[in-house]
Amino acid sequence: NPQRRRPVLSGKNRTGWRIGKRPDAIIVNMSNTKQVVLPQIAQERLKRLESRTAKVGVIGLGYVGLPLSLLLSEAGFTVTGFDIDAKKVTELEAGRSYIFRIAAEEIQGARKKGFTATTEFSPLSEQDAIILCVPTPLTEHREPDLSYVENTAKAAAPWVREGQLVVLESTTYPGTTEELMIPVLEAGNTQGLKVQGSGAVAEHGVFYVAFSPEREDPGNVTVARRDIPKGVGGHEAIATELAATLYEG
């Protein structure tokens, strides 16, 4: 039903609904009655996300990133995992697991569906969506150490491409996405791309950013990972729509 009205989780104090399609456009309707027509670069990503033909890159293959990669692979996406730990990549490429609650059979099943792992960041340029799942351990002052987020964003920035969705999943405090990750991604991007803001919708020269706090529950063996509720918040309406569609799988 093209007029299906489905809720999209709120972000930046806004809640949006996808209200349908015109033959020549996809429209997002916001709760303040403002309508946003998705530009072509976003429409192309959205269509691939909806059809599960999108390529998704997950950076950080620890207790959050690896289970997420497997879920995305199970949903039908072509997933590439990125990690600077060569031992993890070697194990995954051999179909082995290094996390006790993830069986090797799960890795092997994902491999058959196209899941790969690499230490090279250049394939990020081929992805439709990039998800950062790096750790934020507490410092001696009981504050999140954001060096992993900053360094990962710096490493990813040269490979971000127009129309891509970049999602931060790392556990952190409000403002990290806007005050740290976005400036780093913009400063290090070799194509001069900027994040799409809440103002006029750009047809070119932008990428999209969202935050979706990781919801992994390592000690819980009674609730399937796919059944754990997931929230998303976009930097603006288009990013919210793309991120919600990604995680609906």
Side-chain angles (χ1 to χ4, degrees), residues 67-88:
L68 177 62
S69 296
L70 297 177
L71 281 177
L72 291 168
S73 179
E74 183 180 332
F77 294 112
T78 300
V79 181
T80 302
F82 299 82
D83 204 291
I84 60 174
D85 188 337
K87 291 182 179 179
K88 288 181 179 179

Side-chain angles (χ1 to χ4, degrees), residues 35-184:
Q35 290 189 343
V36 178
V37 178
L38 271 64
Q40 188 63 35
I41 57 173
Q43 289 189 40
E44 292 171 355
R45 307 283 181 180
L46 183 62
K47 289 175 182 177
R48 288 197 287 271
L49 289 170
E50 289 179 326
S51 64
R52 302 297 179 255
T53 58
K55 296 180 179 180
V56 181
V58 178
I59 306 178
L61 298 174
Y63 79 94
V64 173
L66 181 56
L68 177 62
S69 296
L70 297 177
L71 281 177
L72 291 168
S73 179
E74 183 180 332
F77 294 112
T78 300
V79 181
T80 302
F82 299 82
D83 204 291
I84 60 174
D85 188 337
K87 291 182 179 179
K88 288 181 179 179
V89 170
T90 298
E91 290 294 285
L92 293 173
E93 288 291 281
R96 296 189 293 263
S97 175
Y98 45 81
I99 297 179
F100 76 94
R101 60 195 176 82
I102 296 179
E105 288 76 14
E106 291 187 64
I107 307 297
Q108 294 161 14
R111 293 277 296 155
K112 292 178 180 177
K113 295 181 180 179
F115 171 66
T116 60
T118 180
T119 59
E120 298 293 330
F121 274 39
S122 56
L124 286 172
S125 63
E126 303 168 6
Q127 311 304 309
D128 292 294
I130 301 169
I131 306 174
L132 278 65
C133 299
V134 295
T136 50
L138 294 179
T139 67
E140 60 182 13
H141 301 294
R142 309 294 293 174
E143 297 177 347
D145 179 358
L146 300 182
S147 62
Y148 294 94
V149 174
E150 183 176 7
N151 290 334
T152 301
K154 286 180 178 178
W159 308 107
V160 172
R161 295 295 181 261
E162 183 179 75
Q164 282 182 329
L165 171 68
V166 181
V167 183
L168 178 63
E169 278 219 8
S170 302
T171 301
T172 184
Y173 48 76
T176 302
T177 306
E178 188 169 284
E179 298 167 11
L180 174 64
M181 190 178 79
I182 288 176
V184 170

